[in-house]
Amino acid sequence: MDTLQILLDFFAGYGYVAVFAVLLVCGFGVPIPEDITLVAGGVISGLGYANVHYMFVVGMAGVLVGDGIMFLAGRIFGHKVLRFKPIARILTQERFEAVQEKFEKYGNWVLFVARFLPGLRSPIFITAGMTRRVSYWRFLIMDGFAALISVPVWVYLGYYGAANRDWLMTMVHRGQAGILTVVAVLLLVVGFVWLKRRRMSCAKK
């Protein structure tokens, strides 16, 4: 049985609470695809088990609360959080150094891009909290802005594709590729702006 079907069976029985709970653990770094989770929430809405607009709100709440807890864990406990084995597994020393390098290069935009990078999302949010480079409210704004792009795409895609699974999965794969393309273009733009500012700063010196 595939991941989508497992989630559909679970969500059909427990509704909004189940969707919120799974999104929460996704935020904690548990390897459950967040996009498929949101699509499943949309599908059960399309099948009449939930209201799709409420599902969108639940989806936003689930991803933001999960991300926020990761950020606060790093901010409150600092490097001590790495003593917690589940976090140490997802935030290795190599990942920590890589994330710091990305912050140096792209600034707070890393928080926006992180929402679209499943493998790096939790490490980036924890590191952002640990380094105290950004306030909690700035973090929520950046993460929330990104979530407003991804969450409705997946939830409403699931809703409209509930009756045609083959079409739905085709669109999911296209959506994943499309979002990654947009993020790649955004990174190029941010990188270009960063290089231009750095050159201007060096010229002034």
Side-chain angles (χ1 to χ4, degrees):
M1 187 179 293
D2 62 18
T3 302
L4 178 60
Q5 189 58 53
I6 292 172
L7 291 172
L8 288 175
D9 293 341
F10 181 45
F11 293 168
Y14 298 96
Y16 302 117
V17 174
V19 175
F20 180 84
V22 172
L23 288 172
L24 199 62
V25 298
C26 286
F28 295 166
V30 176
I32 301 174
E34 185 180 276
D35 51 359
I36 299 300
T37 301
L38 291 166
V39 167
V43 170
I44 67 166
S45 300
L47 295 176
Y49 291 97
N51 179 286
V52 68
H53 306 305
Y54 293 161
M55 187 60 70
F56 162 64
V57 174
V58 170
M60 287 293 295
V63 300
L64 292 179
V65 171
D67 294 347
I69 290 175
M70 289 291 95
F71 177 87
L72 288 175
R75 192 173 185 85
I76 293 172
F77 299 106
H79 283 78
K80 293 179 181 178
V81 76
L82 297 179
R83 298 176 186 173
F84 187 50
K85 289 185 178 180
I87 290 182
R89 289 194 186 99
I90 63 175
L91 185 58
T92 61
Q93 184 62 34
E94 292 78 11
R95 278 186 172 179
F96 180 67
E97 292 174 358
V99 170
Q100 285 186 311
E101 182 180 338
K102 285 180 172 59
F103 269 111
E104 290 294 333
K105 189 172 183 179
Y106 300 111
N108 293 339
W109 279 101
V110 172
L111 298 173
F112 173 85
V113 176
R115 170 120 301 280
F116 309 100
L117 304 174
L120 291 175
R121 185 184 303 142
S122 295
I124 287 174
F125 293 156
I126 296 170
T127 301
M130 290 170 62
T131 57
R132 296 178 176 269
R133 297 178 64 100
V134 60
S135 70
Y136 180 65
W137 294 111
R138 174 67 65 84
F139 162 76
L140 281 182
I141 290 173
M142 298 295 288
D143 190 39
F145 179 45
L148 279 174
I149 296 174
S150 62
V151 173
V153 166
W154 299 126
V155 171
Y156 287 100
L157 180 61
Y159 174 75
Y160 288 111
N164 190 335
R165 188 73 59 82
D166 291 335
W167 175 88
L168 174 61
M169 295 313 298
T170 298
M171 295 306 295
V172 166
H173 294 310
R174 288 181 181 176
Q176 290 170 332
I179 288 177
L180 287 176
T181 299
V182 171
V183 172
V185 171
L186 179 63
L187 281 174
L188 288 173
V189 171
V190 172
F192 174 77
V193 172
W194 178 81
L195 285 172
K196 187 175 181 180
R197 287 182 177 178
R198 185 172 183 179
R199 288 176 181 174
M200 290 176 64
S201 177
C202 290
K204 289 180 180 179
K205 292 179 180 180

